Amino acid sequence: MEKGKDFLFSIIMGIYNIEEYLEEAILSIIEQSLNFNKHVQLILVDDGSTDNSSQICRKYEEIHPNNIIYLYKENGGISTARNLGLKYAKGKYVNFVDPDDKLSSGTLYNVFRFFENYGEEIDIVSIPLIYFDQKNGDHPLNFKYSKGSRVVDLNKEFDYVQLSSSSSFIKREVLEGLQFDENLSYGEDAKLLTEIILKRLKYGLLDNSKYFYRQRNDSSSMTQSVVEQKFWYTESIKSFSIQIIEDTLQKYNCIPKYVQHVIFYDLKQRLLVKDVSRILSSTELEEYLLYVKKVLQYIDDDVIIKQRFMGIHDRIYALSLKYGQPKEKILRKIYLKDNLQIYAGGVIVDSLVNQKVMINFMRLSESSLVLEGILGGVLDKDHSAISVDIDGIEYTPNPVETRMIDKLNLNSVTKSYFGFRFELPLKDINDSKIKFYFVDNGIKVLLTPVFTRFTSRLDDKFKNSYYANNNYLVKKDNQALIIQRVSKKLIMTHEKKYQQELLSRGFNSVVKNRKLYHLIKPLYKNRRIWLFIDRAERADDNAEHLFKYAIRQNDNIEKYYIIKKSSPDYERLKKLGNVVEFGSRKHQLLYLFAEKIISSHTAKWVRESFLGIKFYKDLVKYKFVFLQHGITKDDVSDQLSKHHQRIDLFITAAQKEYNSIINGKYGYNKKEVALTGFPRFDNLINNDKKQIVIMPTWNKSLVLPINKKTFKRDYNPNFKESNYYKYFNALINDERVLEKAKEANYQIIFYPHSEMHQQLNDWVLNDEVKLINGGISYQKIFNESSMLITDYSSVVFDFAYEKKPVIYFQFDKNHYNPGYFDYDKHGFGEVCREYEELISKILYYIDNKCRMESKYKDRVNNFFAYTDNKNCERVYKRIMQMEK
């Protein structure tokens, strides 16, 4: 590098195994509008990379030897890399671009101009941070730039926190004697920046440049994965928050509001974590909470309660922790003549006149109107009450289970919702108003009903939305519901108004479809239509098996099986008749007039099967029958509860399973849950062909989110580092198992879960193991196999139904919340937690011709409600009884 050369900027880039994005980051510096060769120094610090990052760095160092320095060091973390780079910095201003991010082209010139104008006042210039790649849009802290480029005075605007050194440009002179804290694994940027900013309590905001911050699906960046790491809790809060507090008190003898906001912005992420039971033990959580409370003592109430990046329940929880008092002691009620106001931390946090009652479910029958909903607000359910007023007569609705939607912070329930159900007999109703009131200590406050769910039938976005059957019509009128007896004229009047509103909003095709619906509706008046569906692209589950039984019943019900034409099962099922292409016009038409939708899945594409269906939610009348995809053994009330799914008939196959749904947090009653057995169990017939099948379940911590562009899961490059991969890959290549299986003439089959097919190429295969990548019936595999090896997969229930041996290999915790099923007490085979124990059991069973032991046969007999191959018959009868 040219000796003695002065630069305007030194850009320091700490690099570790980032070859995929590194060149893009380097070019974003080289191609700045400010002349790179004359004004910019780029320092590339390789923190012990093992990929091709070093070759890329050397390539650009050779091209720009006077401007680029390449440094190599043993891996020590980002702070050590940046600190090393600082020793070589010659620029007037310093920045720390991450090697997977980039700067907008005019950034360096714009920052230079800003420093020229305001350099006497400030030491730092900040630019907006913009997400790109798998997430797009502004960072939450970009609110700071809404008033344009300027110098911000943190004595007045003390919540304008600056935490990122990558989006900061710092005078090199103020960095002398300072460095990033190498003991911190998180928050090192914020700690250093806070120390610099405190000297002036001012910095520059520049709105005409951008720092592009890559959000990757592989969750490999620290900020994306840190909440899963134990160090982030007690260790990190001590070395970050408490250290900043101690340093600031020593220098300034107080904690300025700006520092309080910096600390609380970091702390709020910690408070928002719902469940840490998989990360911290109860003792560790108790210790962690002590440190959280210690930090909160230095944060003023108004900083907490006015925090713009937390929900009100989270802020109240923080106050509750600070004072060590229950929520009810933190809240203060002020009663007005016709309102109730609630204060916390000296600030009004709720006013009941603005409160809404959320109607999640509405159903009109010939004789009644059923409404179910919840009340929000800051008060918990034990401190909430609703009355329903119908034409001046007051009714008290029945409470419903809402534990499944309790709000959690750090394993504690911080908000419980008041849920209610009200059934109004319609015998004497003609033209009535239904109003909802919050009731407390003699005060009644009128609430506004809102309709946000598909099952709520009305649409808040359209004032002329309505819901009707043959006898009654319901619509919203300001803060009330109006229910009227219908006439053909009344229906057409409301439909015309609704269509006119839709047209005025540009929904022309919706209007055409609604007109068509009303035109052909008389043709469907006496038709009973049932739709059966498993997955859109695959059959071979409970719905297919029940469909085959149903089409043999002569009961004047039209039955259709729905599946994509591209599915390999389509042509096979087409031979049965009444198979309809998923998403086709016929599917949509049948959906609108369906009496029942019967499925093994609850996904949105089953329940709301085509785009724009929300415009017809007042028209559909179907009841939903959930056949299940597998036995519910874990607590999945956060997915399948009545609040989340609204299932009209929930099919179960075991008494313990049935009890867990009825008595758990699901919210269903005995009329809505049936113990019948699964339809597909009727086809489970032992046809052993000497196969050993290995079928682990998926693990959500090992897969990436579904890509919004491809609607598939992307490949996770970190998958091979997991114990899941290491153990199962070792198993399918274990010479002891392969040799023993070959001697006994057993074929080994490896069947990875469909949610992990993006990782198929990671598995090391051999000639003795057959990899199944879908396309083969699960039941064929179950029927023909002699033994199953899994971890937590519910396929074990189908397999054990045939009384064939099962081995559970559970080297790690299940990613679902535990339910009633205890693998050691109720499981259908040995639970192995060590690899060598697993191998020993596999060899044992092969030597004993894969026979299930008697104690496990007894467990099978005791677990399943029925093993008589009459499950389809029972399920079908139960569906037929729904109307009764």
Side-chain angles (χ1 to χ4, degrees):
M1 179 169 286
E2 191 176 325
K3 292 183 179 180
K5 182 172 181 179
D6 293 325
F7 295 96
L8 288 177
F9 290 92
S10 289
I11 308 297
I12 299 170
M13 195 178 289
I15 297 162
Y16 180 71
N17 287 351
I18 200 74
E19 61 180 353
E20 184 178 356
Y21 309 111
L22 178 56
E23 200 154 6
E24 186 179 5
I26 292 173
L27 288 173
S28 82
I29 308 302
I30 293 174
E31 295 173 356
Q32 285 287 305
S33 59
L34 189 71
N35 189 287
F36 178 74
N37 292 323
K38 290 185 178 296
H39 299 300
V40 184
Q41 177 193 38
L42 178 58
I43 303 171
L44 304 173
V45 185
D46 186 347
D47 190 32
S49 296
T50 57
D51 64 358
N52 291 320
S53 295
S54 62
Q55 290 91 319
I56 295 170
C57 292
R58 292 185 187 280
K59 168 184 151 183
Y60 282 96
E61 184 187 36
E62 289 177 9
I63 297 172
H64 301 278
N66 295 324
N67 296 78
I68 295 181
I69 298 177
Y70 170 66
L71 304 171
Y72 179 85
K73 61 180 286 297
E74 294 297 320
N75 182 254
I78 187 64
S79 291
T80 64
R82 288 171 172 176
N83 288 339
L84 177 59
L86 270 173
K87 295 178 181 179
Y88 293 82
K90 295 180 179 295
K92 189 175 182 180
Y93 311 113
V94 179
N95 171 260
F96 303 90
V97 170
D98 284 333
D100 54 348
D101 299 338
K102 55 189 180 181
L103 297 177
S104 60
S105 61
T107 296
L108 297 186
Y109 175 73
N110 294 334
V111 170
F112 162 70
R113 289 289 305 273
F114 195 94
F115 268 121
E116 288 292 297
N117 291 328
Y118 302 102
E120 295 297 320
E121 299 180 62
I122 58 172
D123 296 321
I124 293 176
V125 171
S126 166
I127 64 173
L129 193 152
I130 309 296
Y131 296 116
F132 76 109
D133 202 343
Q134 291 300 320
K135 177 181 179 180
N136 298 304
D138 286 294
H139 187 280
L141 288 173
N142 285 358
F143 78 91
K144 298 180 295 189
Y145 306 94
S146 61
K147 298 178 182 178
S149 297
R150 62 194 177 98
V151 173
V152 61
D153 183 349
L154 298 172
N155 290 300
K156 298 176 181 177
E157 296 174 295
F158 29 70
D159 62 339
Y160 279 42
V161 298
Q162 180 63 23
L163 307 176
S164 165
S165 65
S166 298
S167 63
S168 299
F169 294 83
I170 310 166
K171 287 180 178 177
R172 182 164 60 91
E173 63 188 48
V174 304
L175 284 166
E176 291 180 8
L178 299 177
Q179 64 176 12
F180 291 95
D181 188 337
E182 295 181 3
N183 295 316
L184 274 179
S185 299
Y186 176 83
E188 66 281 354
D189 289 39
K191 187 177 179 183
L192 177 66
L193 291 172
T194 301
E195 188 172 356
I196 296 170
I197 289 172
L198 272 176
K199 294 176 181 178
R200 292 181 184 258
L201 279 176
K202 289 183 179 181
Y203 68 89
L205 295 170
L206 181 62
D207 71 348
N208 62 353
S209 301
K210 293 179 176 62
Y211 182 89
F212 293 103
Y213 178 65
R214 190 185 302 272
Q215 286 277 286
R216 287 182 265 159
N217 246 355
D218 62 7
S219 301
S220 57
S221 73
M222 180 61 69
T223 53
Q224 289 173 265
S225 60
V226 69
V227 295
E228 298 293 328
Q229 307 298 320
K230 184 172 287 193
F231 83 85
W232 186 64
Y233 294 89
T234 302
E235 179 187 334
S236 178
I237 200 170
K238 286 193 292 184
S239 55
F240 178 73
S241 300
I242 291 177
Q243 190 64 55
I244 288 178
I245 289 170
E246 291 176 352
D247 291 347
T248 305
L249 283 173
Q250 186 176 5
K251 290 181 181 179
Y252 301 97
N253 203 33
C254 69
I255 307 296
K257 287 275 193 182
Y258 174 77
V259 179
Q260 292 183 38
H261 275 280
V262 168
I263 294 170
F264 194 61
Y265 186 87
D266 171 74
L267 192 64
K268 60 101 178 170
Q269 299 177 70
R270 304 169 186 277
L271 298 178
L272 295 178
V273 179
K274 296 178 181 179
D275 184 2
V276 293
S277 57
R278 297 181 73 238
I279 304 166
L280 302 179
S281 68
S282 57
T283 302
E284 289 169 332
L285 176 58
E286 187 176 343
E287 179 189 13
Y288 175 62
L289 287 173
L290 287 175
Y291 283 108
V292 170
K293 292 173 184 177
K294 181 177 180 180
V295 171
L296 286 169
Q297 303 311 308
Y298 294 94
I299 301 175
D300 295 342
D301 288 0
D302 64 325
V303 172
I304 295 173
I305 206 65
K306 293 180 181 179
Q307 168 62 236
R308 66 174 81 209
F309 300 112
M310 292 177 81
I312 187 59
H313 306 305
D314 304 305
R315 287 176 269 160
I316 292 171
Y317 171 61
L319 279 178
S320 179
L321 280 179
K322 177 180 176 178
Y323 289 104
Q325 292 185 332
K327 179 178 178 178
E328 293 71 30
K329 297 286 186 180
I330 299 298
L331 301 177
R332 182 185 178 196
K333 294 181 179 180
I334 300 297
Y335 293 92
L336 305 178
K337 183 179 179 181
D338 54 0
N339 189 20
L340 172 61
Q341 292 180 340
I342 303 167
Y343 288 75
V347 176
I348 185 168
V349 294
D350 203 355
S351 178
L352 269 295
V353 292
N354 299 320
Q355 191 58 261
K356 295 176 174 60
V357 57
M358 292 168 276
I359 307 298
N360 295 327
F361 177 79
M362 181 190 299
R363 173 168 286 158
L364 268 174
S365 70
E366 302 305 312
S367 59
S368 66
L369 170 68
V370 176
L371 300 170
E372 289 188 16
I374 60 172
L375 178 67
V378 300
L379 297 176
D380 285 340
K381 64 182 177 184
D382 293 338
H383 300 272
S384 301
I386 287 180
S387 70
V388 181
D389 182 289
I390 302 171
D391 297 335
I393 301 175
E394 194 171 309
Y395 300 86
T396 301
N398 295 319
V400 298
E401 179 64 76
T402 56
R403 283 182 297 157
M404 73 291 288
I405 58 170
D406 282 348
K407 178 167 174 41
L408 295 176
N409 294 78
L410 298 175
N411 297 12
S412 296
V413 175
T414 53
K415 165 63 183 175
S416 60
Y417 290 85
F418 179 84
F420 66 91
R421 183 180 191 275
F422 181 72
E423 185 167 359
L424 173 65
L426 298 176
K427 181 180 178 182
D428 299 319
I429 295 295
N430 185 19
D431 192 352
S432 298
K433 280 190 176 183
I434 303 174
K435 295 181 180 179
F436 301 88
Y437 289 90
F438 180 89
V439 182
D440 184 76
N441 201 25
I443 297 292
K444 287 176 60 177
V445 183
L446 182 62
L447 304 171
T448 301
V450 295
F451 306 84
T452 56
R453 295 286 186 87
F454 184 81
T455 50
S456 62
R457 303 305 178 190
L458 299 182
D459 194 331
D460 278 317
K461 295 179 180 178
F462 298 90
K463 67 177 183 178
N464 290 304
S465 170
Y466 72 98
Y467 171 48
N469 65 6
N470 294 327
N471 297 319
Y472 295 94
L473 178 146
V474 183
K475 65 177 182 178
K476 181 180 174 182
D477 181 24
N478 295 320
Q479 291 180 284
L481 289 182
I482 307 296
I483 181 163
Q484 300 171 291
R485 286 188 181 273
V486 302
S487 64
K488 187 174 181 180
K489 182 179 179 181
L490 182 68
I491 290 286
M492 295 316 296
T493 297
H494 280 85
E495 180 64 24
K496 186 176 180 180
K497 288 181 179 179
Y498 190 26
Q499 289 183 16
Q500 287 173 344
E501 186 177 4
L502 287 165
L503 282 173
S504 69
R505 305 268 288 274
F507 298 107
N508 298 38
S509 61
V510 174
V511 171
K512 289 180 182 178
N513 289 336
R514 289 187 69 93
K515 286 181 177 179
L516 176 63
Y517 171 89
H518 286 286
L519 181 65
I520 64 174
K521 184 179 177 181
L523 301 177
Y524 285 82
K525 184 177 181 181
N526 297 315
R527 292 173 64 178
R528 300 183 65 189
I529 297 169
W530 291 9
L531 304 184
F532 296 76
I533 182 170
D534 287 311
R535 292 183 182 272
E537 70 285 346
R538 186 173 180 179
D540 189 35
D541 208 336
N542 282 314
E544 177 189 331
H545 290 280
L546 186 61
F547 174 69
K548 289 177 179 176
Y549 176 87
I551 58 178
R552 298 196 301 268
Q553 311 309 308
N554 186 18
D555 47 22
N556 296 318
I557 299 173
E558 300 176 42
K559 297 116 181 178
Y560 299 89
Y561 192 86
I562 310 297
I563 192 167
K564 285 185 176 179
K565 215 167 190 176
S566 58
S567 168
D569 296 314
Y570 181 84
E571 291 301 326
R572 173 177 64 81
L573 290 167
K574 189 72 174 174
K575 297 173 184 176
L576 300 175
N578 283 0
V579 173
V580 175
E581 181 182 4
F582 179 91
S584 65
R585 188 68 171 169
K586 185 174 182 180
H587 176 203
Q588 295 174 5
L589 186 64
L590 291 170
Y591 176 90
L592 290 176
F593 291 101
E595 176 187 297
K596 303 282 192 305
I597 291 181
I598 303 165
S599 179
S600 55
H601 290 78
T602 59
K604 192 171 183 178
W605 46 263
V606 175
R607 309 291 301 273
E608 303 171 31
S609 64
F610 59 91
L611 192 65
I613 184 60
K614 65 179 181 178
F615 294 111
Y616 316 104
K617 65 180 183 176
D618 61 307
L619 305 180
V620 295
K621 305 294 192 296
Y622 71 80
K623 290 186 177 180
F624 182 68
V625 179
F626 180 40
L627 301 176
Q628 292 206 75
H629 173 58
I631 293 276
T632 296
K633 59 183 171 59
D634 304 305
D635 181 0
V636 287
S637 55
D638 60 342
Q639 302 171 38
L640 295 181
S641 75
K642 180 179 283 191
H643 177 82
H644 296 93
Q645 292 293 347
R646 195 69 217 187
I647 296 165
D648 294 289
L649 183 60
F650 197 130
I651 299 298
T652 63
Q655 187 68 55
K656 289 181 185 298
E657 176 193 33
Y658 173 85
N659 293 343
S660 74
I661 305 300
I662 293 294
N663 301 322
K665 297 188 291 184
Y666 294 85
Y668 298 104
N669 59 44
K670 292 181 179 180
K671 292 181 181 179
E672 298 163 324
V673 185
L675 179 55
T676 58
F678 286 168
R680 69 168 185 254
F681 284 179
D682 288 350
N683 203 44
L684 290 172
I685 301 168
N686 192 339
N687 186 22
D688 193 341
K689 292 189 177 180
K690 301 200 77 172
Q691 293 177 172
I692 297 171
V693 59
I694 303 169
M695 293 184 73
T697 189
W698 74 301
N699 189 315
K700 65 181 178 182
S701 68
L702 301 180
V703 298
L704 303 184
I706 293 175
N707 189 309
K708 295 179 181 179
K709 298 177 182 177
T710 64
F711 300 103
K712 296 179 181 178
R713 295 189 189 277
D714 288 334
Y715 174 79
N716 182 3
N718 299 321
F719 174 67
K720 292 173 72 173
E721 301 302 316
S722 67
N723 285 333
Y724 181 101
Y725 171 79
K726 291 175 182 177
Y727 278 128
F728 281 109
N729 195 64
L731 176 59
I732 62 176
N733 289 283
D734 194 293
E735 290 295 335
R736 295 166 293 178
V737 174
L738 299 180
E739 184 177 342
K740 178 70 74 172
K742 190 173 183 179
E743 286 176 3
N745 202 28
Y746 282 94
Q747 168 73 61
I748 297 179
I749 294 174
F750 181 46
Y751 204 144
H753 196 281
S754 59
E755 292 288 349
M756 305 184 83
H757 277 187
Q758 65 280 357
Q759 308 297 144
L760 284 177
N761 290 332
D762 287 338
W763 302 106
V764 178
L765 302 177
N766 58 71
D767 294 337
E768 304 301 321
V769 176
K770 182 179 181 181
L771 176 72
I772 305 295
N773 181 14
I776 297 180
S777 164
Y778 281 114
Q779 290 207 324
K780 178 178 173 63
I781 296 292
F782 299 152
N783 291 343
E784 295 180 357
S785 295
S786 314
M787 178 168 61
L788 169 68
I789 301 159
T790 186
D791 45 5
Y792 296 97
S793 176
S794 62
V795 300
V796 75
F797 294 99
D798 293 65
F799 196 86
Y801 194 85
E802 298 185 22
K803 296 188 175 72
K804 293 187 287 192
V806 170
I807 303 176
Y808 302 93
F809 182 34
Q810 298 179 352
F811 50 86
D812 204 354
K813 287 185 178 180
N814 191 359
H815 67 274
Y816 285 118
N817 295 324
Y820 64 88
F821 193 84
D822 185 304
Y823 291 90
D824 293 298
K825 293 180 181 178
H826 308 131
F828 308 121
E830 287 81 2
V831 179
C832 300
R833 294 181 173 87
E834 300 295 333
Y835 182 75
E836 289 304 318
E837 182 188 7
L838 168 69
I839 300 303
S840 177
K841 283 297 177 185
I842 293 173
L843 301 181
Y844 164 80
Y845 273 117
I846 294 176
D847 284 336
N848 287 273
K849 298 182 180 180
C850 290
R851 287 190 288 260
M852 178 180 264
E853 296 180 359
S854 57
K855 70 175 180 178
Y856 297 121
K857 287 183 180 179
D858 291 341
R859 288 185 184 182
V860 171
N861 292 330
N862 292 331
F863 182 80
F864 292 100
Y866 304 98
T867 55
D868 56 4
N869 299 106
K870 293 184 179 180
N871 299 292
C872 285
E873 179 182 336
R874 279 187 293 272
V875 173
Y876 196 80
K877 284 182 178 179
R878 186 61 184 81
I879 296 173
M880 292 291 286
Q881 293 168 0
M882 286 177 71
E883 305 312 317
K884 298 179 184 179

